[in-house]
Amino acid sequence: MRTLDDLEVAGKRVLVRVDFNVPLDAGRITDDTRIRAALPTLRELREKGARLLLAAHLGRPKGRDASLSLRPAADRLAELLDEEVALAPSLDDVPDGDVVMLENVRFEAAETENDAVLARRYADLADCYVNDAFGAAHRAHASTEGVAHLLPSAAGRLLEREVTALRRILEAPERPLVAVVGGAKVTDKISVLETFLQRADRVLVGGAMCFPFFKAQGHEVGDSLCEEEGTEPARRVLGAGGDTLRLPTDLVAGRAFAADTETKALDGVDVPGGWMGLDIGRRTAAGYAEVIRDAGTVFWNGPMGAFELAPFAAGTRTVAEAVAESDAVTVVGGGDSAAALAGFGLADRVTHLSTGGGASLELIEGKRLPGVEALA
Ligand code: ADP
Ligand code: MG
């Protein structure tokens, strides 16, 4: 993969694909982590004398949509870079300037179709191309893949760091390699789990991920979040998992998905009717923490419970603290896992906090990311 070290940028106009897909509340950015994550690349390019043309997407607009304008992101970037950032209303109207940002690339349907004409139009606006949008690298779109073939191109520092950290887990991990997989959607994460069952020394399962497994084992799951489509894959994994796979042995249940609901600690994993399992229990959390402490490498994706609700945050907190205190190489992926870590004040205590949920999972599964392949 080519990096910024391989690209001659002095005096050039560089098209930089960034991931500025930030959460907005009534036009205000509520978390600018993704914009900050691009700063090392943008600053390096500016210091090397490049003029920047930034491309990014925001949300899933159907055509032009003022509520998904990149104006707030451009303004925030201007503050962080301490430079003027002009916003180009369209590809036909790109102002001159040292730092210019294109409007939301997904205003054009041709973007997600990886349209060759659109890719050519992007290319005509610049001398070279840098992709720093790791969070969008699993998509073959005109601004993430098509244009990379039309200009001298390279990975930005963020994308480089993400790919290096994640590949290292697969290719040369310090042992023992421990994967902690939780969160809500089993069907999204089952193949990551299967990858780790082949490569990791321990796979610890938490969150709503565990209920299809318990169902497959014949346990009661009550009203727990339990995806029907997850049961068959869970059965398959149970058959293949051997003693690498660890499931919770106790749970915390609630009457409803709410902070003020009635709660109950379950010594076991059968969830009675009228209750839902919303966190791993204390014994499970302590056991997981011990495995994490002795690890050489930890990959964590997905909270251990409904951590947004105080009564069900303890399992995720115990795991997060163990990850933070561990001497292992620790890599955390997933938007909610990152939010949980940040909420506990531990975001800077891990080796690598991935900015790309879907992209990091696909890379771990061994899939090729089109946005990365195009830079080879
Ligand atoms: P990430 O964004 O880190 O990949 P996910 O999006 O897969 O994680 O899952 C996060 C969500 O899973 C959180 O909103 C959390 O409330 C929910 N969750 C975790 N455990 C449970 C559970 N036992 N029951 C219901 N929801 C859960
Ligand atoms: Mg999520």
Side-chain angles (χ1 to χ4, degrees):
M1 188 173 68
R2 289 182 301 274
T3 72
L4 290 188
D5 300 322
D6 305 307
L7 210 57
E8 187 55 58
V9 299
K12 302 269 176 67
R13 171 68 83 183
V14 183
L15 176 66
V16 191
R17 179 59 162 93
V18 287
D19 178 6
F20 283 2
N21 191 22
V22 289
L24 287 176
D25 181 21
R28 286 179 44 110
I29 296 169
T30 53
D31 179 0
D32 65 359
T33 308
R34 284 183 165 158
I35 300 178
R36 288 176 184 277
L39 291 175
T41 294
L42 302 182
R43 289 199 176 116
E44 180 174 340
L45 288 168
R46 289 295 289 138
E47 278 158 21
K48 287 177 167 169
R51 298 160 74 228
L52 309 181
L53 180 63
L54 307 180
H57 77 276
L58 182 60
R60 295 168 180 266
K62 305 221 172 359
R64 288 193 86 81
D65 176 348
S67 71
L68 291 174
S69 166
L70 281 169
R71 168 58 67 191
D75 291 346
R76 184 76 192 107
L77 178 65
E79 288 169 19
L80 292 167
L81 277 181
D82 197 18
E83 284 204 82
E84 227 171 273
V85 179
L87 188 69
S90 81
L91 293 182
D92 299 316
D93 185 7
V94 179
D96 211 33
D98 288 336
V99 187
V100 177
M101 175 137 214
L102 298 176
E103 247 311 355
N104 192 340
V105 290
R106 291 201 187 158
F107 284 173
E108 303 273 347
E111 161 67 13
T112 52
E113 292 157 7
N114 199 4
D115 179 74
V117 175
L118 181 60
R120 171 51 63 192
R121 291 185 74 201
Y122 290 141
D124 286 344
L125 293 169
D127 305 306
C128 45
Y129 171 78
V130 168
N131 189 354
D132 215 20
F134 178 69
H138 56 317
R139 309 269 184 237
H141 293 171
S143 72
T144 61
E145 203 270 346
V147 67
H149 298 290
L150 304 177
L151 291 171
S153 59
R157 295 301 180 202
L158 173 64
L159 189 138
E160 181 187 353
R161 194 156 45 84
E162 292 272 12
V163 171
T164 309
L166 293 166
R167 282 204 177 136
R168 185 172 158 202
I169 289 183
L170 289 178
E171 288 161 13
E174 287 301 324
R175 301 263 172 194
L177 169 59
V178 175
V180 189
V181 186
K185 298 213 76 183
V186 187
T187 38
D188 281 1
K189 297 187 182 180
I190 197 85
S191 46
V192 167
L193 220 137
E194 291 186 296
T195 303
F196 276 120
L197 278 178
Q198 294 181 10
R199 294 177 183 260
D201 301 288
R202 276 266 180 279
V203 178
L204 314 177
V205 179
M209 283 289 291
C210 56
F211 296 110
F213 290 93
F214 291 148
K215 196 167 198 177
Q217 288 176 329
H219 290 289
E220 296 297 327
V221 299
D223 296 340
S224 305
L225 179 61
C226 183
E227 281 179 285
E228 205 45 57
E229 321 87 86
T231 322
E232 220 17 73
R235 207 183 302 280
R236 190 173 69 223
V237 167
L238 279 172
D243 56 2
T244 306
L245 185 73
R246 281 256 207 118
L247 294 167
T249 59
D250 60 345
L251 297 168
V252 180
R255 286 277 185 194
F257 192 96
D260 57 0
T261 191
E262 188 187 345
T263 70
K264 175 152 89 172
L266 304 177
D267 184 17
V269 296
D270 283 298
V271 182
W275 292 85
M276 45 176 78
L278 288 170
D279 194 11
I280 57 174
R282 282 178 66 147
R283 184 175 60 230
T284 301
Y288 284 7
E290 202 171 308
V291 173
I292 289 166
R293 254 191 300 278
D294 295 336
T297 306
V298 181
F299 175 81
W300 177 24
N301 179 290
M304 296 292 98
F307 71 96
E308 308 94 324
L309 311 174
F312 309 106
T316 303
R317 180 186 283 275
T318 300
V319 163
E321 285 170 352
V323 169
E325 282 157 21
S326 165
D327 294 326
V329 173
T330 51
V331 178
V332 179
D336 291 289
S337 313
L341 210 55
F344 302 138
L346 301 172
D348 56 355
R349 302 271 305 276
V350 298
T351 313
H352 182 70
L353 184 54
S354 180
T355 54
S360 64
L361 294 182
E362 290 197 14
L363 199 65
I364 289 285
E365 284 165 44
K367 289 193 187 149
R368 292 168 177 275
L369 308 189
V372 173
E373 297 295 314
L375 307 171

